[in-house]
Amino acid sequence: DAKTTQPNSMESNEEEPVHLPCNHSTISGTDYIHWYRQLPSQGPEYVIHGLTSNVNNRMASLAIAEDRKSSTLILHRATLRDAAVYYCILTWQAGTALIFGKGTTLSVSS
Amino acid sequence: DAGVIQSPRHEVTEMGQEVTLRCKPISGHNSLFWYRQTMMRGLELLIYFNNNVPIDDSGMPEDRFSAKMPNASFSTLKIQPSEPRDSAVYFCASERGDTGELFFGEGSRLTVL
């Protein structure tokens, strides 16, 4: 399985944008890039996913590098509720399992 | 939709006892996954099913662990006999087929004394 590399932790202030990086230099052409987050004492929840083009939804934006070797999850205005562990995961198709790494622990200060 | 439903939410048992964790996936989702989370090892995939058939159980720690999915609306993860090192939060997730999005339950926190 292609692997991802994320910083262990990041800090942000409330209402500021947050850019969470993910490196996946061994990504294959059919790998989708998924982002999940896990709030304290909860199960992981889906944030966003993409293949080649940048993606936006109500939670976040996903910026994918042209060579697809890296991506960035963008939270446009961080809130205290966004404090969580963020996981960047590659998977090649629906019905295959997501393998979670250690993720990035995001702290948000008021 | 009620989401993925797991039971029990918390279980405390003694070493050697049998433990059964239950999961009801979201209706219409064809894939179901069991994960285990500990501080030391993070989130680990144990086993997953497609259309009720086990596809990959390579993450099941040992023969003490078994999982079944007798129908599309129910799955169990059984540990027999349980050991203290099995203490963890066990998550069940089901997958929306058209997007690949996983929906996780709230987890079952298992403590084996």
Side-chain angles (χ1 to χ4, degrees):
Chain A
D1 292 333
K3 293 189 175 181
T4 63
T5 303
Q6 300 178 252
N8 289 332
S9 62
M10 291 186 64
E11 296 180 353
S12 175
N13 294 317
E14 205 174 7
E15 299 191 2
E16 291 185 355
V18 180
H19 291 233
L20 296 161
C22 181
N23 287 323
H24 28 77
S25 58
T26 60
I27 191 171
S28 72
T30 55
D31 281 336
Y32 284 81
I33 303 161
H34 291 251
W35 283 83
Y36 281 74
R37 72 179 185 181
Q38 187 172 20
L39 303 173
S41 301
Q42 295 188 25
E45 64 175 348
Y46 169 83
V47 177
I48 200 166
H49 79 284
L51 183 62
T52 57
S53 303
N54 294 344
V55 184
N56 299 297
N57 65 22
R58 63 176 178 80
M59 289 181 69
S61 296
L62 176 60
I64 302 173
E66 197 168 333
D67 63 5
R68 299 208 329 124
K69 294 183 184 298
S70 66
S71 61
T72 302
L73 179 70
I74 302 167
L75 307 178
H76 295 285
R77 289 183 63 198
T79 68
L80 296 178
R81 194 190 174 276
D82 291 322
V85 180
Y86 287 79
Y87 299 96
C88 169
I89 307 162
L90 304 181
T91 185
W92 68 285
Q93 69 174 23
T96 57
L98 298 184
I99 306 301
F100 288 78
K102 296 184 185 299
T104 297
T105 299
L106 174 67
S107 303
V108 181
S109 303
S110 58
Chain B
D1 200 325
V4 175
I5 300 172
Q6 292 187 246
S7 64
R9 291 293 313 281
H10 302 273
E11 173 130 0
V12 180
T13 191
E14 293 189 348
M15 183 173 62
Q17 296 298 305
E18 178 178 296
V19 174
T20 299
L21 307 178
R22 297 172 178 80
C23 176
K24 176 178 168 53
I26 294 173
S27 177
H29 287 191
N30 295 327
S31 297
L32 182 141
F33 305 80
W34 282 100
Y35 288 87
R36 176 174 71 174
Q37 187 169 36
T38 61
M39 288 294 293
M40 290 294 294
R41 301 175 67 90
L43 263 168
E44 301 174 280
L45 175 69
L46 299 177
I47 185 171
Y48 74 98
F49 298 82
N50 281 347
N51 296 315
N52 313 336
V53 176
I55 301 301
D56 183 356
D57 65 354
S58 60
M60 296 285 262
E62 48 197 272
D63 292 345
R64 297 185 298 106
F65 285 68
S66 62
K68 293 182 179 179
M69 191 164 186
N71 57 62
S73 59
F74 184 66
S75 177
T76 60
L77 178 67
K78 186 174 294 187
I79 308 171
Q80 167 61 22
S82 58
E83 297 182 3
R85 60 190 167 129
D86 301 331
S87 298
V89 180
Y90 290 81
F91 288 104
C92 174
S94 66
E95 183 187 62
R96 178 176 163 176
D98 58 341
T99 64
E101 178 182 348
L102 287 191
F103 292 78
F104 283 79
E106 294 183 310
S108 294
R109 180 175 295 277
L110 173 65
T111 302
V112 183
L113 303 175

